[in-house]
Amino acid sequence: MTYVVGYIVGSLSQRSINRTLALALSRLAPPELRLTEIPIDQLPLYSYDYDPDYPAVAQEFKDAIKASDALLFVTPEYNRSVPGALKNAIDWATRPYGSNVLNGKPSATIGASPGQISTAVAQQHLKTILSFTNSPVLGQPEAYIQFTKGLINDEGDIQVPSVAEFLTGYMRAFTAHIHRHHHDIPGLQTP
């Protein structure tokens, strides 16, 4: 069975190291995962004033989430939390009230930063947010990648064998998490 995994990069930059990490994860993913980006860069700032006349770009975003079997959040850390653009995207995914497309959608968080603690605090905040949206989040292994020069080449290949091995295991654990939530918990997914 193949699972479609929508991945959301928390940075809006096309040169983001987290976008580079997402490319590497796509290359390391087991054959039963097909990763596809769900962009967030065109979403306006959410306001409930939009609810009666929901913008097409936001509906397309929600439709892409609905079409995914699982979600992978690849995020930097801004000021010890998630980027505003990522929080905004999650707000769009859960609004208007009663139309939360994250409900029951298995997810995982990962991120890269040049700093030694990487994205640990941002991911903890993100896991709290996803827990509230009822998106079952992969708990272990946690993946906080310290991004160093030469870690990933331009083609998306990880150049440090121990990191490649760890991330391959991470993607296998994510696959098992998706499988559990699609097969062992009937009725968890939204229709």
Side-chain angles (χ1 to χ4, degrees):
M1 174 162 205
T2 300
Y3 297 108
V4 175
V5 175
Y7 68 87
I8 296 174
V9 178
S11 171
L12 299 182
S13 172
Q14 291 303 307
R15 297 184 316 272
S16 166
I17 59 177
N18 284 280
R19 190 170 304 288
T20 302
L21 176 59
L23 173 64
L25 293 171
S26 295
R27 295 176 67 90
L28 289 175
E32 57 266 38
L33 296 187
R34 185 170 53 86
L35 275 68
T36 181
E37 184 173 4
I38 301 176
I40 63 173
D41 60 325
Q42 299 300 309
L43 292 170
L45 287 176
Y46 175 75
S47 166
Y48 65 83
D49 293 340
Y50 285 114
D51 288 357
D53 187 19
Y54 212 72
V57 66
Q59 190 58 56
E60 290 166 13
F61 172 70
K62 288 181 78 157
D63 290 345
I65 292 173
K66 285 182 195 174
S68 300
D69 297 305
L71 297 172
L72 178 62
F73 293 87
V74 187
T75 187
E77 182 170 299
Y78 291 0
N79 298 315
R80 294 289 189 252
S81 191
V82 296
L86 178 55
K87 176 61 170 69
N88 182 58
I90 292 169
D91 291 344
W92 278 109
T94 60
R95 299 291 185 253
Y97 183 80
S99 65
N100 174 13
V101 294
L102 300 178
N103 184 40
K105 191 77 63 173
S107 63
T109 67
I110 191 169
S113 168
Q116 288 189 340
I117 66 166
S118 185
T119 59
V121 180
Q123 287 190 56
Q124 289 306 312
H125 287 184
L126 181 54
K127 288 177 181 180
T128 299
I129 295 165
L130 292 173
S131 175
F132 180 78
T133 68
N134 201 37
S135 174
V137 183
L138 175 67
Q140 294 291 328
E142 295 179 314
Y144 314 121
I145 308 304
Q146 184 180 17
F147 200 93
T148 56
K149 185 173 171 55
L151 178 66
I152 304 172
N153 68 16
D154 292 340
E155 290 76 41
D157 296 313
I158 298 191
Q159 302 299 290
V160 179
S162 61
V163 175
E165 181 180 350
F166 171 76
L167 289 176
T168 299
Y170 174 86
M171 293 304 286
R172 278 198 295 265
F174 184 34
T175 304
H177 175 70
I178 297 167
H179 185 76
R180 273 192 308 276
H181 284 279
H182 277 277
H183 295 285
D184 295 343
I185 307 175
L188 181 64
Q189 290 295 351
T190 54

